[in-house]
Amino acid sequence: EAQVTQNPRYLITVTGKKLTVTCSQNMNHEYMSWYRQDPGLGLRQIYYSMNVEVTDKGDVPEGYKVSRKEKRNFPLILESPSPNQTSLYFCASRGGGIGTQYFGPGTRLLVL
Amino acid sequence: AQKVTQAQTEISVVEKEDVTLDCVYETRDTTYYLFWYKQPPSGELVFLIRRNSFDEQNEISGRYSWNFQKSTSSFNFTITASQVVDSAVYFCALPQTGGFKTIFGAGTRLFVKA
């Protein structure tokens, strides 16, 4: 089954404790992206990757890091989480061109 | 700058009513795509439609229809004979030039009451 998976689905952490949210897709997609969803703001793009070892900032990259060492994986790293990073995070992937993005199930993060 | 505006924050209707969700966009691109996604209470994002700016024909899929009007920069979504299962947040989205960045509207939360 074609899918995008994210782990963990739910996470409660404390300020400053480094965390990684994993994202993996099995569709051999070149493009992957991370979004955060906040009430009243819709989805905002954090980072995206056009291919292995090629990443770029989205609209809200501050406080986040990403890496793309393999085509299927695109982890999101919060080196020192802060309460304003409490949000619902989505990973997405798509094939070539401006096609449909396939979204993971979401990761709900609470930073205390 | 590119922008997507969904001015309706929340809409509440009674089952079987028709409802239209508005999406107004701004772009300087002559070729572009527009998308609608649905987010049901379970939280996942479900693709509904992709529309190319070259194609201004209205699209119908069952009870769903989309009205794309370049003259008013709008891509509105109508649900005919709404059902409780249509209750969700609906997002309109516009990929930016090159397609690597995507702008989403703030979303419209639709409540359909039985």
Side-chain angles (χ1 to χ4, degrees):
Chain A
E1 180 191 353
Q3 60 182 352
V4 178
T5 57
Q6 294 178 227
N7 283 293
R9 295 290 311 280
Y10 304 91
L11 180 59
I12 301 174
T13 189
V14 295
T15 299
K17 186 176 181 181
K18 181 179 178 179
L19 67 92
T20 299
V21 184
T22 64
C23 173
S24 183
Q25 51 94 4
N26 63 1
M27 295 168 277
N28 201 36
H29 285 163
E30 292 181 348
Y31 177 91
M32 297 184 75
S33 185
W34 276 103
Y35 297 87
R36 60 178 289 174
Q37 181 182 355
D38 301 290
L41 297 176
L43 279 78
R44 293 178 294 166
Q45 199 162 15
I46 303 171
Y47 269 95
Y48 60 91
S49 170
M50 295 82 87
N51 212 327
V52 175
E53 302 290 2
V54 184
T55 63
D56 205 349
K57 297 176 181 178
D59 293 321
V60 288
E62 295 78 21
Y64 304 96
K65 284 177 58 177
V66 293
S67 68
R68 187 91 182 274
K69 294 186 171 63
E70 305 166 282
K71 200 171 187 179
R72 63 182 292 124
N73 297 324
F74 190 42
L76 179 68
I77 303 156
L78 284 72
E79 298 245 339
S80 184
S82 61
N84 64 14
Q85 292 179 297
T86 291
S87 188
L88 176 59
Y89 291 87
F90 286 99
C91 180
S93 74
R94 72 153 201 256
I98 307 180
T100 303
Q101 290 192 73
Y102 295 85
F103 286 86
T107 294
R108 195 167 290 278
L109 172 65
L110 173 61
V111 183
L112 300 173
Chain B
Q2 290 172 291
K3 189 176 178 183
V4 175
T5 302
Q6 294 180 257
Q8 304 151 308
T9 305
E10 289 187 0
I11 300 175
S12 183
V13 299
V14 176
E15 210 170 20
K16 297 184 184 176
E17 282 186 29
D18 298 348
V19 57
T20 295
L21 282 60
D22 298 333
C23 173
V24 175
Y25 61 92
E26 294 177 27
T27 181
R28 291 181 181 169
D29 295 337
T30 52
T31 302
Y32 52 90
Y33 289 83
L34 290 157
F35 290 78
W36 275 95
Y37 291 88
K38 174 182 179 180
Q39 186 178 43
S42 51
E44 72 273 22
L45 285 158
V46 178
F47 164 78
L48 293 178
I49 190 171
R50 180 185 80 159
R51 174 48 52 92
N52 184 311
S53 58
F54 287 143
D55 183 3
E56 289 195 67
Q57 283 191 334
N58 289 336
E59 177 98 7
I60 298 174
S61 176
R63 296 183 297 105
Y64 294 172
S65 63
W66 289 267
N67 183 350
F68 178 36
Q69 291 198 340
K70 288 177 77 170
S71 60
T72 55
S73 296
S74 65
F75 187 40
N76 297 337
F77 172 33
T78 297
I79 301 174
T80 302
S82 59
Q83 300 177 1
V84 172
V85 294
D86 295 325
S87 296
V89 181
Y90 292 87
F91 292 100
C92 183
L94 170 68
Q96 296 190 55
T97 308
F100 298 120
K101 287 187 178 183
T102 297
I103 298 292
F104 280 77
T108 297
R109 183 178 296 275
L110 174 64
F111 295 97
V112 181
K113 296 178 285 189

